[in-house]
Amino acid sequence: MPEVELTNMVMVQDPVTKKVVVQERIKSWKGLTFPGGHVEPRESFVDSAIREIREETGLEIRNLQSCGVIHWCHTETSVRYLVFLYRTQDFDGELLDATDEGRVYWADIADIVDRTYPNDFQMYLPMFLEDGHNEAFGPWNDQGNLPIQYK
């Protein structure tokens, strides 16, 4: 049976300023992204997203809305990598400056959309910002990512 890795990513948006929390990752998947992480054994997807945001940002989030899933599948090994996507404007707490994952800060959404990312984060943005997507499917292999399909 092929290996499956489960992760999450959350767009936390301030309802007043409309800014979003971003993280400049310095470990794996380096570069600018929304915070998130791995689903632990016996942990629900939503609980894992809430825990990861607390660990990586210091914020306590609630009322998560699903934005769909990004599903990567290796074309030769069939290894699957799933990223469950959420957004919320419901949070408490003070944003940390940084964690061992990298710097965390509030950013204007327009500045995020207009950038190019070495980690392909721009492929994730339609799932958070556009209605009508349930899944983005991306085959990949050792030569890199193939075109992503939004469904």
Side-chain angles (χ1 to χ4, degrees):
M1 175 171 245
E3 179 184 335
V4 177
E5 191 167 353
L6 304 174
T7 64
N8 59 65
M9 184 181 288
V10 182
M11 182 179 82
V12 180
Q13 186 173 41
D14 185 304
V16 176
T17 68
K18 301 301 181 198
K19 290 186 176 190
V20 294
V21 174
V22 293
Q23 183 177 48
E24 283 189 40
R25 295 182 61 92
I26 57 175
K27 286 187 170 182
S28 63
W29 212 59
K30 296 178 182 178
L32 198 69
T33 182
F34 294 139
H38 287 85
V39 178
E40 298 294 333
R42 296 174 300 284
E43 184 177 45
S44 79
F45 300 133
V46 170
D47 288 344
S48 72
I50 291 169
R51 176 187 51 76
E52 285 287 350
I53 299 308
R54 182 177 51 251
E55 291 173 1
E56 294 186 3
T57 71
L59 300 177
E60 293 289 337
I61 60 173
R62 297 172 295 284
N63 299 320
L64 279 67
Q65 297 174 316
S66 176
C67 300
V69 64
I70 294 193
H71 174 193
W72 298 99
C73 185
H74 197 280
T75 59
E76 296 163 12
T77 66
S78 297
V79 168
R80 294 176 183 266
Y81 185 87
L82 284 85
V83 187
F84 294 88
L85 308 175
Y86 301 95
R87 65 179 161 235
T88 186
Q89 294 186 353
D90 195 353
F91 62 91
D92 288 315
E94 294 296 319
L95 191 65
L96 300 172
D97 291 329
T99 68
D100 63 340
E101 295 286 342
R103 186 168 78 104
V104 182
Y105 60 94
W106 293 101
D108 288 317
I109 194 74
D111 294 338
I112 293 169
V113 171
D114 291 339
R115 290 177 62 174
T116 302
Y117 300 92
N119 61 7
D120 295 327
F121 178 53
Q122 68 270 13
M123 290 192 300
Y124 287 56
L125 291 174
M127 298 294 292
F128 291 103
L129 302 175
E130 299 172 7
D131 291 333
H133 302 299
N134 293 305
E135 175 187 7
F137 177 73
W140 101 92
N141 57 40
D142 295 337
Q143 286 73 47
N145 295 337
L146 300 173
I148 198 164
Q149 304 164 19
Y150 299 94
K151 303 192 180 267

